[in-house]
Amino acid sequence: MKLKVRKPGFDKFLKPIANGLGKLRKAWEQSPASKYVMRIDRYIIAKFLGTYIFAIALIISIAVVFDFNENLDRFVQNNAPMNRVFFDYYLNFIPYFSNLFSPLFVFISVIFFTTKLADNSEIIAMMSNGMSFNRIMRPYLISAAIVSLATFYLGSEVIPKGNVARVKFENQYKRRKSQVVNYAQDVQLEVDSGVIAYIGRFENINKTGYQFSLDKFVNKKLVSHLTANSITYDTLADDRYHWVIKDYTVRELKGMREFITRGSRIDSIIKMEPTDFLIAKGQEGTLTSAQLTEYIEKQKQRGFANIKQFEVEYHRRIAQSFAAFILTIIGLSLSVQKRKGGMGISLGIGLTLSFGYILFQTISSTFAINANVPPMLAVWMPNILFTFIAIYLYYKAPR
């Protein structure tokens, strides 16, 4: 006779968890939402999200191993601390690339587990019991909504904050050359209503600009013209718009008369700062959606033209979250039917379409930045095209 030995305190640890889960289940069964989300819906949602998370974990784990193996020599040569490698780089590397390839993972997940349901005749059983194709689609769309909200939140709030630490780590320990912009040329922007600033060349090392001019217009007429040999951004001042103007000349126009004032130095508040025109590659990825909106609006008011990459990034975050719905419908329509060749044909078509979506998204974004294509249209173009594909496959799906 065998005796079961229980560790003291083990039941005390499990009992509160079991009670909590029981209360959650009871609350769910009593809630109005339980009437619309039935057991079969919860089963499909669990399959969808479980396969999605498993696919992300598998692919990203492989990517981390390959990336670490490739960059190990650089980390050692540059004396990168292991805690920074883990916390600053890989802890931000994982969500960044997971979110970047989220459409691919959604597509693969839907095709993978739906094909298994079809092969096991579970789809046939659902339809034979009176479930329509639209009814089967409900838990898929609920799962797509969960993925879409998670993708948007990560891309808008979490990942940009993590990108700041990741990019800083890459510049210091991974790349041979820093991506920080050290100078800007021919900067012209409206710093206030009717006030236009121009800097011939600005050097970030000493925060100094040369060939500076400041023109003030009233009713489209020039009333003041300031020129200076140099202008320096005061990083120690309390006001973030504090500038020091040196060797300046001010010409004030009053009717037919002109008044000229010269001086060696003057402190002035000009509503601009170096970050307004020193734009580093990938800087848009370090701003949250709220910061992107504020930055784009401010630069548009100032007449600054080089903001297309920021507009593309803003619209891309929204478009990518909607892609989960489109690719879910395509994946379900392709794999709902039991095929003779099994999963291979559906998975092959799905991979081709998903990689095509990612490639098309990259190409269209490039057109927006380097050509005259409106950023919003360029970013949403893949979604528009794949929406038509989804509609076609939806009507071709077996009923």
Side-chain angles (χ1 to χ4, degrees):
M1 182 178 179
K2 294 183 179 180
L3 296 176
K4 292 183 179 180
V5 180
R6 293 186 178 179
K7 295 181 180 180
F10 188 70
D11 290 339
K12 292 181 180 179
F13 175 74
L14 287 179
K15 192 173 181 180
I17 298 177
N19 291 337
L21 292 175
K23 290 180 180 178
L24 284 175
R25 182 178 180 181
K26 188 176 180 180
W28 166 257
E29 290 174 351
Q30 294 176 353
S31 65
S34 62
K35 298 179 182 178
Y36 301 97
V37 183
M38 302 172 65
R39 180 174 294 180
I40 186 64
D41 298 322
R42 296 197 295 271
Y43 173 72
I44 293 176
I45 291 171
K47 286 281 187 181
F48 188 129
L49 298 180
T51 309
Y52 174 76
I53 294 171
F54 177 78
I56 288 178
L58 180 63
I59 301 300
I60 294 300
S61 298
I62 297 172
V64 168
V65 170
F66 276 99
D67 186 84
F68 183 77
N69 185 56
E70 182 181 352
N71 295 301
L72 181 59
D73 292 338
R74 295 181 184 178
F75 294 157
V76 174
Q77 290 175 2
N78 295 323
N79 298 319
M82 289 307 298
N83 62 331
R84 291 200 61 187
V85 171
F86 178 76
F87 290 105
D88 290 353
Y89 183 62
Y90 283 112
L91 207 61
N92 297 310
F93 173 95
I94 292 171
Y96 173 75
F97 282 97
S98 299
N99 209 52
L100 183 65
F101 294 105
S102 180
L104 174 63
F105 295 135
V106 168
F107 217 169
I108 292 175
S109 301
V110 171
I111 289 177
F112 183 80
F113 86 85
T114 306
T115 304
K116 290 189 68 177
L117 292 178
D119 289 342
N120 294 333
S121 300
E122 294 180 68
I123 300 291
I124 296 174
M126 294 178 198
M127 290 186 172
S128 63
N129 284 322
M131 288 186 69
S132 64
F133 181 74
N134 292 339
R135 178 62 184 83
I136 294 175
M137 190 182 291
R138 182 197 293 178
Y140 284 85
L141 295 181
I142 293 174
S143 303
I146 295 172
V147 173
S148 177
L149 291 173
T151 301
F152 180 75
Y153 178 73
L154 285 173
S156 300
E157 299 296 331
V158 178
I159 294 176
K161 295 175 182 178
N163 281 344
V164 176
R166 183 179 62 84
V167 171
K168 185 178 180 180
F169 176 89
E170 289 179 347
N171 290 336
Q172 187 173 358
Y173 297 109
K174 187 178 176 181
R175 296 191 181 106
R176 294 182 179 179
K177 186 168 64 173
S178 175
Q179 299 293 312
V180 178
V181 178
N182 292 318
Y183 71 94
Q185 289 182 315
D186 296 327
V187 178
Q188 183 173 345
L189 64 161
E190 187 176 7
V191 295
D192 204 349
S193 179
V195 181
I196 309 297
Y198 173 81
I199 301 176
R201 178 181 175 88
F202 185 86
E203 296 180 355
N204 193 37
I205 298 174
N206 53 11
K207 306 293 183 185
T208 301
Y210 303 95
Q211 300 176 2
F212 174 73
S213 68
L214 190 70
D215 296 329
K216 184 177 180 181
F217 294 86
V218 176
N219 296 328
K220 298 182 180 181
K221 291 184 179 180
L222 182 65
V223 296
S224 175
H225 176 65
L226 181 148
T227 57
N229 290 336
S230 66
I231 180 172
T232 303
Y233 182 67
D234 192 349
T235 57
L236 301 178
D238 295 333
D239 197 315
R240 64 174 182 168
Y241 297 131
H242 190 271
W243 294 83
V244 178
I245 304 173
K246 296 180 180 179
D247 299 325
Y248 65 92
T249 301
V250 180
R251 298 177 181 271
E252 294 184 75
L253 304 175
K254 296 183 179 180
M256 300 297 295
R257 304 181 65 180
E258 180 181 18
F259 299 90
I260 300 176
T261 305
R262 293 184 175 88
S264 59
R265 174 188 170 119
I266 185 174
D267 290 64
S268 181
I269 301 298
I270 305 175
K271 291 183 179 180
M272 66 177 182
E273 49 189 329
T275 54
D276 291 334
F277 43 81
L278 291 173
I279 302 174
K281 184 179 179 181
Q283 180 180 336
E284 65 276 6
T286 62
L287 301 177
T288 64
S289 292
Q291 292 171 337
L292 266 177
T293 304
E294 181 184 357
Y295 183 86
I296 291 170
E297 290 299 323
K298 184 172 71 172
Q299 296 299 72
K300 281 184 177 180
Q301 290 175 0
R302 292 176 171 181
F304 200 68
N306 191 21
I307 57 170
K308 281 191 174 182
Q309 62 266 37
F310 292 89
E311 293 181 290
V312 166
E313 176 65 19
Y314 175 78
H315 293 296
R316 185 192 65 80
R317 294 175 183 179
I318 302 173
Q320 188 175 11
S321 62
F322 275 93
F325 293 98
I326 301 170
L327 299 179
T328 296
I329 295 172
I330 294 176
L332 176 60
S333 302
L334 283 173
S335 54
V336 71
Q337 186 177 6
K338 188 174 182 179
R339 298 179 183 272
K340 188 176 180 181
M343 188 185 300
I345 297 175
S346 300
L347 195 59
I349 297 173
L351 285 173
T352 302
L353 287 173
S354 57
F355 278 116
Y357 175 83
I358 295 172
L359 179 63
F360 190 22
Q361 190 180 52
T362 304
I363 294 173
S364 62
S365 299
T366 303
F367 283 153
I369 295 172
N370 298 324
N372 292 324
V373 180
M376 185 175 179
L377 176 62
V379 171
W380 280 90
M381 202 178 296
N383 281 4
I384 295 171
L385 175 63
F386 275 74
T387 297
F388 287 111
I389 297 175
I391 293 172
Y392 173 78
L393 293 175
Y394 169 78
Y395 284 106
K396 287 290 183 180
R399 302 293 169 176

